[in-house]
């Protein structure tokens, strides 16, 4: 089946943005009430009643408009995984930030083909007042303003975002990489939500981002938004970002030096 046209991708982007707005608005409302918090893979991997409620609302909004599409979502919602168009949803990316009421959580809604080609995406981060959206081949926008990446600084003057996993052994490895990287860049920012990190690259809030071991829903929307702003977003060893991989996002002129550093530091 041919990939959707740029016009169809623009329509998908509009639906992704309306769904992400709906989800982020509900998440913000639920944050003002007591949360029911539980854990998933580890004692630090949190999930709340809001994650589940937001996912339910976002999925219902999408399927009302496109009932035959597939759904892949963090809290387990699924639909038609053999559908040509699949929605990839993180209802609240940055759940730890959300539980602590710390800015930097977002509702992330990505759209891809069954083969994995990213078509559209939206990330709504209400605490920063940011709405990001992109359609394949039609650019990315922040609050309606088109994005275009500025030329980067040299690596030793670059502000580089990263993140750390929930598993203590993985965090120890990530800390080892980070200890070697940090003296060779300007500084780091640890936002706590991959979708916000990737959108931060798209708007130049950071010069680059890397992280090991993310889920598909952490990556989908933010990857396309960053790519459509002019960033290179790939696996460390090349190819499209994948679940459990090593995603690197930076201006194409910064990419080679950053990848070389990350490889030397053992990412
Ligand atoms: C988060 C990611 C973030 C990572 C966190 C966590 P969640 O996703 O977006 O980049 O560093 O450890 O995995 O669990 O908040 O949806």
């Amino acid at each position: 089946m041919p990939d959707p046209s740029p016009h169809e991708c623009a329509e998908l982007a509009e639906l992704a943005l309306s769904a992400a707005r709906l989800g982020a608005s509900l998440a913000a409302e639920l944050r003002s009430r007591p949360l029911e918090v539980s854990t998933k893979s580890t004692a630090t991997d949190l999930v709340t009643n809001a994650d589940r409620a937001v996912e339910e609302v976002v999925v219902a909004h999408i399927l009302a408009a496109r009932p035959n599409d597939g759904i892949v979502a963090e809290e387990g919602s699924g639909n038609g995984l053999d559908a040509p168009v699949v929605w990839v949803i993180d209802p609240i990316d940055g759940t730890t930030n959300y539980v602590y009421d710390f800015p930097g959580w977002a509702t992330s809604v990505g759209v891809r083909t069954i083969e994995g080609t990213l078509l559209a995406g939206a990330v709504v981060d209400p605490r920063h007042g940011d709405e990001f959206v992109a359609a394949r081949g039609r650019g990315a926008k922040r609050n309606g303003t088109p994005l275009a990446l500025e030329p980067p600084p040299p690596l030793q003057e670059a502000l580089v975002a990263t993140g750390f996993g929930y598993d203590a052994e993985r965090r120890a490895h990530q800390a080892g990489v980070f200890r070697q990287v940090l003296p060779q860049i300007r500084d780091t920012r640890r936002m706590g939500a991959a979708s916000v990190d990737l959108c931060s690259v798209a708007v130049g809030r950071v010069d680059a981002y890397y992280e090991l071991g993310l889920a598909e829903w952490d990556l989908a929307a933010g990857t396309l938004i960053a790519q459509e702003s002019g960033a290179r977003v790939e696996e460390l060893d090349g190819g499209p970002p994948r679940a459990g991989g090593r995603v690197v996002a930076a201006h194409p002129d910064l990419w080679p030096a950053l990848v070389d550093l990350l490889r030397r530091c053992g990412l």
Side-chain angles (χ1 to χ4, degrees):
M1 186 167 183
D3 285 355
S5 67
H7 175 72
E8 288 170 305
C9 289
E11 291 181 332
L12 291 170
E14 282 180 24
L15 181 53
L17 182 56
S18 65
R21 278 173 175 157
L22 196 59
S25 171
L26 176 59
E29 181 195 328
L30 292 172
R31 189 62 196 77
S32 65
R33 304 179 205 157
L35 292 175
E36 299 157 24
V37 184
S38 51
T39 60
K40 296 193 294 189
S41 63
T42 70
T44 58
D45 183 0
L46 304 177
V47 61
T48 72
N49 58 300
D51 292 88
R52 290 186 282 268
V54 167
E55 183 169 301
E56 190 176 328
V57 162
V58 167
V59 169
H61 180 80
I62 290 165
L63 293 183
R66 297 178 58 94
N68 299 318
D69 283 359
I71 299 284
V72 173
E74 178 168 15
E75 306 316 333
S77 301
N79 192 56
L81 295 191
D82 56 353
V85 173
V86 179
W87 296 76
V88 185
I89 301 161
D90 193 336
I92 300 177
D93 185 22
T95 300
T96 301
N97 288 343
Y98 182 75
V99 170
Y100 280 78
D101 205 10
F102 189 90
W105 53 266
T107 296
S108 176
V109 180
V111 199
R112 63 168 169 80
T113 65
I114 191 169
E115 294 81 12
T117 303
L118 294 173
L119 303 173
V123 174
V124 176
D125 168 359
R127 290 288 188 263
H128 289 118
D130 283 336
E131 293 187 345
F132 297 98
V133 66
R136 184 174 196 81
R138 295 177 71 115
K141 291 183 179 176
R142 176 197 199 182
N143 299 335
T145 301
L147 297 178
L149 219 48
E150 295 291 326
L155 181 59
Q156 60 273 26
E157 296 170 21
L159 187 63
V160 181
T162 190
F164 305 98
Y166 291 117
D167 173 77
E169 200 172 308
R170 170 171 289 178
R171 281 206 304 280
H173 168 72
Q174 292 169 319
V177 173
F178 180 71
R179 181 183 58 78
Q180 299 171 73
V181 168
L182 190 58
Q184 303 190 63
I185 58 176
R186 174 190 298 276
D187 198 346
T188 192
R189 292 294 181 269
R190 197 298 195 237
M191 241 84 79
S195 60
V196 177
D197 288 319
L198 287 161
C199 291
S200 294
V201 171
V203 294
R205 202 157 48 193
V206 294
D207 297 306
Y209 166 64
Y210 73 89
E211 188 160 353
L212 164 72
L214 293 170
E216 179 180 14
W217 41 75
D218 296 320
L219 289 164
T223 292
L224 186 68
I225 289 162
Q227 288 173 336
E228 288 294 327
S229 78
R232 185 172 173 184
V233 188
E234 294 181 15
E235 283 293 311
L236 182 73
D237 295 329
R242 56 175 173 76
R246 297 173 293 181
V247 66
V248 181
H251 188 287
D253 293 350
L254 184 60
W255 174 273
L258 175 59
V259 164
D260 177 59
L261 173 63
L262 292 172
R263 284 195 178 119
R264 285 187 283 112
C265 296
L267 179 63

